[in-house]
Every structure is written in structure tokens, then in C-alpha cells.
Amino acid sequence: MKHLMILGILLLCACGRSVPDEARIVVAGDSIMAWNRSGGDTVADGLERRLREPVGDVSLSFARLIGGGGGALNIPSQLNGVVADWVVLNGGANDLSGSGCGCRVCDSVLDRLISESGSRGAIPELVAELRRRGSRVVWLDYYTAPRYAGTSCVAPYRILKERLDRMAAADQGVIVLDLDSVFQSDDLSLFSRDRVHPSRQGSGRIADLVAPVLIR
């Protein structure tokens, strides 16, 4: 039964995933980006409305940076063959939660995602590949969800943010945006009932943060 439920979620989230030929912006990543797809209120949907232009969307719930079977559940694979002026993406939460780390600081997983210097690991490798294709990159750092606020679960993400900032500092074509700058963990209107994923309003808040960066 559990496997059928997961399959149903994947099929629902996969619906509508595409990259229009004329899109200069593509969104990729995990469920934070893909949430609210059934109602037409993903981050990509919000960007389309704000910028009044087509935006590609290859994001998918449960996606990871490392692993994921080499298909759409692997974030680098989501972007195979994608060439765009801008790529807006996130990732890492499913790698941390799916590695048995729980809410501990998992140095080995963090190091595989991005080294302390911000120059090595799955994230810098993906970003470097996108930059080679000519894309500028907006990486969205995670907000603090109400379910985890005030717990030890926040610590790995603080380390991740520090390393992402070091990566971005080395390349003017890479921008890291901190979702905690527009999300408050005690404002439940920004979150779905699970108190982790964004509500429709929350996805709109993300689009509001990103859109000014992408204006022609």
C-alpha cells in the first residue's frame, strides 16, 4: 500500500513537467520546488505569472543530488541536455534525510554534497556543468520548516548554507538565495499541513524572492 501511495504521488508530481523550447529559465530540484503542481502553483508557475514568460520545470518530489536511480529522481539527471539562461534549483534535503543521518550533523554526507571550501562535491560539480553550458545559476537554500524549528535538525542545513555561500562567492554567475529571508517558521500560512512543504502562498513567496533576479 505504501509503495502504491508513493507511486501515485510521483505520477501526480510528474504531470506537467516540461521545458518549453523558448524557455530561458528552468526550475529543477526536489519537492520544495515541485509542491502545489496539481493546483498550478509551483515555484515555476509563480515565476511564469510574475515574469510573463514560459518557465521550464523538471523538479520532482523525492529527488536527490546523489543517487536517485539516474532518472528524474536524480537532480543532475533532471537537467541532462537542458540549456537555459537561468537554472533555478535546490537539493540536498533528501540526501541528508535518506542517509540515516536523522537530525545529526552528518559530515560524510555533507562532504559528498559540498566540501567545506565549497569547491568540491555533487553540488559544485552540477553547478560547474551548468556554468559550462552558459547558464547562470540560482541556488535556493532551504527554509526552516515548523516541524524542525528549534531542534538539532537545523544544524546540518546551517553548515550547508555556509558552504553554498563559499561556492557562490567564487563565481559571479552563481547566486544563493536564503529562503529563511522570506519564510518564518511560526507563520503556518506559508506551509502545507505537513508543516514541511510550502503552501500555495509559500510557493508564491519563493517566486517573489527569485523573480527580480531573473528580470531581463
Side-chain angles (χ1 to χ4, degrees):
M1 182 65 178
K2 179 180 178 181
H3 295 298
L4 289 175
M5 290 176 63
I6 292 174
L7 178 60
I9 292 172
L10 287 173
L11 290 173
L12 180 62
C13 290
C15 180
R17 295 174 61 251
S18 64
V19 179
D21 291 339
E22 66 274 25
R24 68 182 185 96
I25 301 162
V26 174
V27 172
D30 61 27
S31 56
I32 300 301
M33 311 301 274
W35 215 248
N36 300 307
R37 180 165 285 139
S38 62
D41 287 295
T42 63
V43 173
D45 292 324
L47 290 174
E48 279 198 342
R49 287 191 287 271
R50 286 156 178 79
L51 298 172
R52 298 183 181 180
E53 63 176 288
V55 175
D57 185 6
V58 294
S59 63
L60 192 64
S61 294
F62 304 110
R64 299 185 182 194
L65 284 156
I66 303 166
L73 291 180
N74 175 264
I75 294 170
S77 294
Q78 292 175 357
L79 290 161
N80 282 345
V82 170
V83 177
D85 291 348
W86 287 97
V87 176
V88 181
L89 74 164
N90 75 335
N94 292 320
D95 299 89
L96 288 165
S97 64
S99 63
C101 289
C103 288
R104 301 189 304 265
V105 175
C106 295
D107 292 340
S108 61
V109 179
L110 281 167
D111 288 344
R112 290 183 68 196
L113 290 172
I114 183 168
S115 65
E116 187 173 356
S117 66
S119 61
R120 300 184 307 277
I123 294 174
E125 288 173 8
L126 173 57
V127 169
E129 172 58 28
L130 293 172
R131 296 289 291 134
R132 280 192 289 270
R133 299 179 201 173
S135 299
R136 286 174 287 180
V137 175
V138 177
W139 194 282
L140 301 185
D141 183 56
Y142 292 101
Y143 51 66
T144 302
R147 182 183 292 183
Y148 304 115
T151 73
S152 59
C153 297
V154 176
Y157 295 93
R158 288 178 176 162
I159 296 172
L160 181 63
K161 172 63 164 55
E162 292 170 358
R163 297 182 180 190
L164 290 169
D165 285 340
R166 293 187 192 113
M167 175 185 70
D171 186 344
Q172 292 184 345
V174 179
I175 299 169
V176 173
L177 297 179
D178 183 2
L179 295 186
D180 268 334
S181 68
V182 293
F183 274 75
Q184 299 77 42
S185 59
D186 60 352
D187 184 352
L188 297 184
S189 71
L190 299 175
F191 300 92
S192 293
R193 291 182 180 179
D194 64 5
R195 302 176 71 215
V196 173
H197 294 97
S199 64
R200 293 173 62 187
Q201 182 178 338
S203 292
R205 187 72 63 91
I206 297 171
D208 284 337
L209 177 66
V210 176
V213 177
L214 308 177
I215 292 175
R216 294 180 186 272

